[in-house]
Amino acid sequence: MKYFSHLASAAGLINLYKGEIPFHHFIRNYFREHRKFGSSDRRNIGQLCYSFYRLGRALAHLPIQERILLGLFLCSTSPNEILENLKPEWNPLAGKTLDEKLRLLAVDPAELSAIFPFPHEMSAGIDAREFAVSHLIQPDLFIRIRPGKEDRVREKLRKAGVDFTVHTDSCCSLPNSTGVDKLISLNEEAVVPDFRS
């Protein structure tokens, strides 16, 4: 039941949002004003909202709640608790390729070009479909480990069961949904920059 409430809350937030400030500020302010949401509620509602926005203008003819669920399914790379509760028939299929998912849903792949509807604004040589589809992939979270803390941080990640990739002695990437602030001491043991930083 709580997942249907999360879906309704996400749809409500999307309807409220008018774009005056970046969405991440808007949702944080909303949760600050509405203290009834616990941390898992906030995480799930946020994930549902961002799944909607990752669709851009694709499938705009569908109702918001359907677009949220489609976005969640298309962005998911493995089964998850939200899909299990809201669309259990889709959950086992979450690990399929994007093209397989589109076939299963009977969605025309050309619909995805509307994710980014300004191909004429792109530089020459950029594949418009590939660029649009890239919006459905959540980038990894990168951390830069402070000197001398490498072994400690990696051990904490291993103990927590976090799947991470070591890029350099001081740089690791993790799934973006990892609550890294609960696993390590941010700023003391590691900082969260992007990979180029």
Side-chain angles (χ1 to χ4, degrees):
M1 195 62 162
K2 74 175 180 177
Y3 294 96
F4 289 100
S5 174
H6 292 165
L7 180 60
S9 294
L13 278 167
I14 290 163
N15 280 324
L16 281 174
Y17 181 59
K18 302 301 179 215
E20 289 105 8
I21 60 174
F23 186 74
H24 70 278
H25 292 301
F26 173 81
I27 194 170
R28 186 174 51 222
N29 292 342
Y30 181 85
F31 287 140
R32 194 176 297 131
E33 291 172 19
H34 300 86
R35 300 245 179 222
K36 66 180 181 178
F37 297 103
S39 62
S40 66
D41 299 327
R42 293 190 306 269
R43 184 177 54 251
N44 290 342
I45 293 166
Q47 183 177 358
L48 291 167
C49 289
Y50 285 112
S51 295
F52 171 86
Y53 286 118
R54 286 187 177 283
L55 279 181
R57 297 193 181 181
L59 306 165
H61 62 283
L62 296 174
I64 287 178
Q65 289 194 6
E66 282 184 47
R67 289 185 72 213
I68 291 170
L69 292 172
L70 276 168
L72 178 64
F73 179 59
L74 295 177
C75 292
S76 295
T77 57
S78 61
N80 62 70
E81 192 175 338
I82 301 173
L83 274 178
E84 181 60 37
N85 285 278
L86 295 175
K87 276 291 194 182
E89 66 276 17
W90 290 356
N91 198 40
L93 309 171
K96 299 238 179 240
T97 67
L98 180 61
D99 289 330
E100 290 171 319
K101 290 177 184 180
L102 294 174
R103 265 195 307 279
L104 290 165
L105 298 171
V107 172
D108 181 357
E111 289 262 5
L112 296 186
S113 63
I115 289 175
F116 185 80
F118 310 107
H120 56 283
E121 299 292 334
M122 292 182 185
S123 300
I126 294 178
D127 182 312
R129 183 181 191 279
E130 190 176 319
F131 179 73
V133 167
S134 74
H135 288 78
L136 299 175
I137 301 166
Q138 188 171 20
D140 284 339
L141 170 70
F142 286 86
I143 60 171
R144 184 171 46 84
I145 305 171
R146 298 277 190 200
K149 313 282 181 167
E150 296 88 356
D151 291 339
R152 181 182 350 166
V153 168
R154 288 188 196 120
E155 185 57 28
K156 285 183 176 184
L157 295 174
R158 275 189 212 92
K159 280 186 179 176
V162 174
D163 185 26
F164 65 95
T165 303
V166 176
H167 296 279
T168 67
D169 285 343
S170 63
C171 180
C172 294
S173 61
L174 310 92
N176 205 301
S177 59
T178 305
V180 72
D181 57 327
K182 307 223 181 357
L183 304 175
I184 61 173
S185 298
L186 285 181
N187 297 325
E188 179 190 325
E189 294 178 319
V191 294
V192 180
D194 64 18
F195 183 57
R196 297 284 176 234
S197 297

